[in-house]
Every structure is written in C-alpha cells, then in structure tokens.
Amino acid sequence: MSKQLMKGNEALAEAALRAGCRFYSGYPITPQTEILEYLAKRMDEVGGTFVQTESELAGINMLLGAAAAGARALTSSAGPGFSLNQEGISYLVAADLPAVIINVMRIGTGLGDIAQGQGDYWQMTRGGGHGDYRTIVLAPASVQETADLAYMSFDLAEKYRHPVIIATDGAIGEMIESVELPEMKEHDIDTYDWAIRPRKDGEKQRVIWNRFWDLGNDEYPIYLVNKYNEIEANEQRWESVQTEDAEIVLVAYGISSRVAKSAVIRARKEGMKLGLIRPITLWPYPKKAFEALGPQVKAFLDIEMNILGQMTDDIILADGNKHPVEFYGEYWHLIDENKIVAKAKEMLAKY
C-alpha cells in the first residue's frame, strides 16, 4: 500500500475507520478537533454514525451506549474535555465494555493552553475516575505509529473487554508525516454474545451493568486482579535504543522520545554511553525493558513535557529502586536535545 502525507490527528481517525470503527461521539477542543472534523465527513462515507455532542460528558456516555450494543466506538478530547470523560471511563471499566478514547494532550492545569504537553500521565495511568481500575494506555511517537496503534486498539479493547486510551499530544496530532494506512475491514456489531441487541421471541433480555453485581463481593476482586495481571504479563510494549552498554538510560515517550533519541545519537558521537527506553504502553508499564538492562547502568533520566516528572515513580518501580532517577522537563517548549546531553554529562560525573 502506498504512503501518503497526513496530519497525525487525521491519520488516527482514518486508521480507526479502517479498523471497523463505525461510531464516533465527541466535542471539539484544540488540539484534537481535526479528528472530529475528519470523521464528520468520512464516517458517513463508510456507513457509520457521527455525533457532535453538546459536551464531552455526552460524548463519553454515547460512546458507552454504542459499545454496549457491540459497535467499535471512539471518542476523542484534550485537556479539560478529557477530564470530563473520567466518570464515563470508570463506568466503561465497571461494565467490561471495550471502547477507544483519544487524549491529544495539551499543557496546563484547568484551562491550561493549547500547546503540546505531557501533563496527563498520572490521570491516564492511575485511573482518573473513581474506583479501582487501570486503563490500557498507548503512546505513539510518530504519525505512522499513531495510525498503527489506533488500528490495533480496538482489537486490544475487545480482547480484554476494557477501554483503551491513546495518549498522543498536540505536536504529534498536528504534525504532517508520511504514513502507510492499514487495510479496511468491517466489524460485525453482533460478534459478541454479551452485547445488547433486539430481543427475539423467547430470548432472555441481555443487560449491561456493573460486573460487580454479577460476580459478587468475593469473586469480583479476584476477577479484576486476574484481568490486570494478564494485561501486565502480555501487553507491555516498548522500544530500546542502544541500551546494551548504556551507562545513563533516558526514559521518554511520545514526542519527547524523538528528541531523546537524537540526544542519544549526539552523545554517542561525543563518547558518552547513553541509551533510551521508550514506553509504548504507559500502562502496563514496560518493566521488562528495565529487567533486560545490564549492570553497567548508573542512573536514569526521565524526560517529559511537564513540571513534576509524572513518570518518575514508574521508572523507580520498574527499576526496583536500584539506581538514581533524575528528571528533565519542559512546560511550554519542546524538549531540548542540548539540555539532555548537558544533563547526562552532569549525571555521569556525579554517579
């Protein structure tokens, strides 16, 4: 299949359609509005349903309804809109419903601003709504990977009957790169026997509700923990770059990882042994990548576009708290390759 130039948000939307997504509900908010705009036209062309809702609350709850009926359903948002999705995500988890939610991250708390950011890590990986839950979180680092992960996300959601979040950001969503799109496939809304559908004569009515009520006090905790253990065992994804002999290992995802990769190349030319672990799944976190590291590692450098170093705790846990972990972050600006190299030099002298 031939390659074409596409914006990240539009490649994501097209890949979702090609994965069999035939329902979208959402509300415009920068920097994800191109997803909504693209699907407003294309969804009708493939025979699906597009709804521009009155709010993000309506968007996530319409998504829940479509997922309960067996449709491959999608919503997207950013910033305060994604915060409004949290209650609905909690209800999707409670009901064991597969769905895909896109978060095109932007900077700041509250209204924040529309520039790219990576400040939603805690919200996405710790469960931003109420109750005990985690969500599968995929973090693409290019337009091509955005399309690939969007295409895969629906299969992953249905495999575990669980919502999947795609954590992209304003830079990747707005940039234009070459992309090879996957093949078009259809999804049968009647594939799964748990989905709600019109009841035939004599057939028991199907009900979608909290699985806790089905399983009870004793069985539900076991069921949920087993599900998450299975996801952690089977779905960790990452990229390792020159970590075989690295003394300082950078850890970065999304747009920040692209700059970190360039910093590894520059540092290597200067004789510094830098490597990079790029988490592709923010949850389950790729602990296996850290387990594969050799004894020469001296420290880790967490690189993110936020103020507080939200991924630092996961690096410490994945490493078993064996090495120092430092943080370099930017708020308004993109990560700076020169600052990464300078910070790594300081760390090599220190450790």
Side-chain angles (χ1 to χ4, degrees):
M1 190 175 295
S2 62
K3 291 187 176 183
Q4 56 185 295
L5 291 174
M6 291 190 77
K7 184 176 286 192
N9 284 337
E10 294 178 348
L12 188 157
E14 180 62 32
L17 292 179
R18 289 172 180 245
C21 174
R22 293 296 178 267
F23 181 88
Y24 174 91
S25 55
Y27 188 78
I29 182 171
T30 306
Q32 65 81 44
T33 303
E34 290 94 347
I35 297 173
L36 182 142
E37 291 175 337
Y38 187 90
L39 291 174
K41 177 183 178 181
R42 282 286 286 137
M43 188 63 82
D44 185 60
E45 293 174 350
V46 298
T49 299
F50 169 89
V51 184
Q52 179 174 321
T53 59
E54 66 272 27
S55 69
E56 291 86 355
L57 289 171
I60 194 69
N61 284 292
M62 289 184 186
L63 174 87
L64 189 151
R72 288 196 158 182
L74 176 72
T75 192
S76 60
S77 197
F82 184 67
S83 293
L84 290 173
N85 288 162
Q86 300 311 305
E87 182 186 46
I89 295 172
S90 178
Y91 273 82
L92 285 163
V93 173
D96 270 358
L97 288 176
V100 178
I101 301 104
I102 311 301
N103 180 21
V104 185
M105 288 183 284
R106 62 192 229 181
I107 67 164
T109 311
L111 183 61
D113 211 316
I114 62 174
Q116 70 282 330
Q118 292 178 320
D120 300 349
Y121 184 91
W122 283 331
Q123 184 183 39
M124 293 185 294
T125 60
R126 268 45 181 183
H130 56 285
D132 284 327
Y133 77 89
R134 306 291 283 252
T135 44
I136 299 169
V137 185
L138 306 173
S142 66
V143 174
Q144 181 64 63
E145 196 170 43
T146 297
D148 294 341
L149 293 181
Y151 194 74
M152 179 188 72
S153 62
F154 292 93
D155 289 334
L156 201 55
E158 290 170 2
K159 179 179 179 180
Y160 295 102
R161 285 184 63 180
H162 207 71
V164 172
I165 295 172
I166 299 180
T168 180
D169 61 67
I172 293 174
E174 298 294 334
M175 69 169 54
I176 297 174
E177 292 183 322
S178 65
V179 59
E180 186 173 332
L181 294 167
E183 64 180 1
M184 182 72 77
K185 63 182 178 183
E186 294 296 329
H187 173 73
D188 183 358
I189 198 171
D190 294 321
T191 297
Y192 300 105
D193 59 10
W194 49 259
I196 293 174
R197 64 186 182 195
R199 182 171 54 180
K200 299 176 182 178
D201 289 342
E203 184 180 23
K204 184 179 178 181
Q205 179 62 57
R206 298 179 185 182
V207 177
I208 295 290
W209 61 357
N210 196 318
R211 290 302 307 279
F212 165 74
W213 297 331
D214 287 328
L215 298 172
N217 296 344
D218 296 328
E219 293 300 320
Y220 181 70
I222 297 171
Y223 166 77
L224 196 64
V225 169
N226 285 343
K227 175 191 276 196
Y228 290 142
N229 286 343
E230 183 181 358
I231 293 171
E232 282 202 274
N234 298 326
E235 304 302 340
Q236 295 181 35
R237 290 173 169 81
W238 71 91
E239 178 190 10
S240 293
V241 179
Q242 298 193 56
T243 56
E244 296 82 5
D245 64 344
E247 295 178 331
I248 301 295
V249 178
L250 314 178
V251 187
Y253 69 91
I255 191 66
S256 297
S257 70
R258 295 172 64 137
V259 185
K261 192 177 290 187
S262 296
V264 168
I265 295 170
R266 172 175 290 195
R268 289 277 174 171
K269 291 179 179 177
E270 297 180 18
M272 300 165 58
K273 293 182 178 179
L274 260 62
L276 168 67
I277 292 176
R278 176 174 74 91
I280 299 173
T281 49
L282 303 186
W283 194 85
Y285 200 70
K287 298 175 183 177
K288 296 175 184 178
F290 293 80
E291 294 168 358
L293 296 172
Q296 80 287 343
V297 173
K298 296 180 178 180
F300 295 94
L301 179 57
D302 174 20
I303 300 169
E304 304 177 70
M305 285 189 297
N306 59 50
I307 300 169
L308 299 179
Q310 295 186 19
M311 188 169 58
T312 300
D313 288 345
D314 280 337
I315 297 171
I316 293 170
L317 290 169
D319 177 55
N321 202 20
K322 296 192 294 287
H323 302 90
V325 180
E326 297 198 13
F327 170 65
Y328 158 54
E330 296 284 355
Y331 184 70
W332 180 263
H333 302 289
L334 285 172
I335 297 299
D336 189 310
E337 177 183 323
N338 295 318
K339 290 182 180 179
I340 294 174
V341 175
K343 180 73 173 177
K345 285 180 180 178
E346 293 176 8
M347 293 174 69
L348 283 169
K350 186 189 304 185
Y351 303 116

Coordinates of all heavy atoms in Angstrom, one line a residue, residues 9 13-14 68 75 77 94 108 115 120 124 138 143 149 175 225 258 263 266 275 310 333 348:
N9 N -3.6 13.7 13.6 CA -5.0 13.5 14.0 C -5.8 12.8 12.9 O -6.7 12.0 13.2 CB -5.6 14.9 14.4 CG -5.1 15.4 15.7 OD1 -4.7 14.6 16.6 ND2 -5.2 16.7 15.9
A13 N -7.7 9.1 12.8 CA -9.2 9.0 12.5 C -9.4 8.0 11.4 O -10.3 7.1 11.5 CB -9.7 10.3 12.2
E14 N -8.6 8.1 10.4 CA -8.7 7.2 9.2 C -8.4 5.7 9.6 O -9.1 4.8 9.2 CB -7.8 7.6 8.1 CG -7.9 6.7 6.8 CD -9.3 6.7 6.2 OE1 -10.0 7.7 6.2 OE2 -9.6 5.6 5.6
A68 N -21.9 -0.8 24.3 CA -22.8 -1.9 24.9 C -23.6 -2.6 23.8 O -23.9 -3.8 24.0 CB -23.8 -1.2 25.9
T75 N -14.2 8.0 21.0 CA -14.4 9.4 21.3 C -13.0 10.0 21.4 O -12.0 9.3 21.6 CB -15.2 9.7 22.5 OG1 -15.5 11.1 22.6 CG2 -14.5 9.3 23.8
S77 N -10.7 13.8 22.9 CA -10.7 15.0 23.6 C -9.3 15.5 23.9 O -8.4 14.9 23.5 CB -11.7 15.0 24.8 OG -12.0 16.3 25.2
A94 N -16.3 -0.6 34.7 CA -17.2 -1.3 35.6 C -18.1 -2.3 34.8 O -18.4 -3.4 35.3 CB -18.1 -0.4 36.4
G108 N -0.9 22.3 30.8 CA -1.5 23.1 31.9 C -2.7 22.4 32.6 O -3.3 21.5 32.2
A115 N -1.0 24.4 23.5 CA 0.2 23.9 23.1 C 0.4 22.4 23.6 O -0.3 22.0 24.5 CB 1.4 24.7 23.5
D120 N -0.8 14.7 31.5 CA -1.9 13.9 31.8 C -1.5 12.5 32.2 O -2.3 11.6 32.3 CB -2.9 13.8 30.7 CG -3.4 15.2 30.3 OD1 -3.2 16.2 31.1 OD2 -4.1 15.3 29.3
M124 N -4.1 9.4 33.3 CA -4.3 8.3 32.4 C -3.9 6.9 33.0 O -4.5 5.9 32.8 CB -3.6 8.5 31.0 CG -4.2 9.6 30.2 SD -3.4 9.8 28.6 CE -1.7 10.2 29.0
L138 N -1.8 3.6 25.3 CA -0.8 3.5 24.2 C -0.3 4.9 23.8 O -1.1 5.8 23.7 CB -1.5 2.9 23.0 CG -2.2 1.5 23.2 CD1 -3.0 1.1 21.9 CD2 -1.2 0.5 23.6
V143 N 3.4 9.8 13.3 CA 2.2 9.7 12.7 C 1.9 8.3 12.3 O 0.8 7.8 12.4 CB 2.1 10.7 11.4 CG1 0.8 10.5 10.6 CG2 2.2 12.1 11.9
L149 N -1.3 2.1 16.1 CA -1.8 1.9 17.4 C -3.3 2.1 17.4 O -4.1 1.4 18.1 CB -1.2 2.8 18.5 CG 0.3 2.5 18.7 CD1 0.9 3.4 19.8 CD2 0.5 1.0 19.1
M175 N 1.4 17.5 13.5 CA 2.5 17.3 12.5 C 2.0 16.5 11.3 O 1.1 15.7 11.4 CB 3.7 16.7 13.2 CG 3.6 15.3 13.5 SD 5.2 14.5 14.0 CE 5.8 15.6 15.2
V225 N -8.4 -8.4 39.5 CA -6.9 -8.5 39.6 C -6.4 -9.5 38.6 O -5.3 -9.2 38.0 CB -6.6 -9.0 41.1 CG1 -5.1 -9.4 41.2 CG2 -6.9 -7.9 42.1
R258 N 11.4 11.4 20.7 CA 12.0 11.7 19.4 C 13.3 12.5 19.6 O 14.3 12.3 19.0 CB 11.1 12.3 18.4 CG 9.9 11.3 18.0 CD 8.9 12.0 17.2 NE 9.3 12.5 15.9 CZ 8.6 12.3 14.8 NH1 7.5 11.7 14.8 NH2 9.1 12.8 13.7
A263 N 19.3 12.9 21.0 CA 20.3 13.2 22.0 C 21.2 12.0 22.3 O 22.4 12.1 22.5 CB 19.6 13.5 23.4
R266 N 23.7 12.1 19.4 CA 24.7 13.1 19.6 C 25.7 12.7 20.7 O 26.9 12.9 20.6 CB 24.1 14.5 20.0 CG 25.0 15.5 20.4 CD 24.4 16.9 20.6 NE 23.9 17.4 19.4 CZ 23.6 18.7 19.2 NH1 23.6 19.5 20.2 NH2 23.2 19.2 18.1
G275 N 21.6 5.6 26.4 CA 20.6 4.8 25.8 C 19.2 5.3 26.0 O 19.1 6.3 26.8
Q310 N 6.0 13.3 36.1 CA 5.0 12.4 36.4 C 5.3 10.9 36.2 O 4.7 10.0 36.9 CB 3.7 12.7 35.7 CG 3.1 14.1 36.1 CD 1.8 14.4 35.4 OE1 1.1 13.5 35.0 NE2 1.4 15.7 35.4
H333 N 7.9 24.8 26.0 CA 8.7 24.5 24.9 C 8.9 22.9 24.8 O 8.7 22.2 25.7 CB 10.1 25.1 25.0 CG 10.1 26.6 25.2 ND1 9.8 27.4 24.1 CD2 10.3 27.4 26.2 CE1 9.8 28.7 24.5 NE2 10.1 28.7 25.8
L348 N 26.8 11.6 34.6 CA 28.0 10.7 34.5 C 29.1 11.2 35.5 O 29.8 10.3 36.1 CB 28.5 10.7 33.1 CG 27.7 9.9 32.1 CD1 28.1 10.2 30.7 CD2 27.8 8.4 32.4

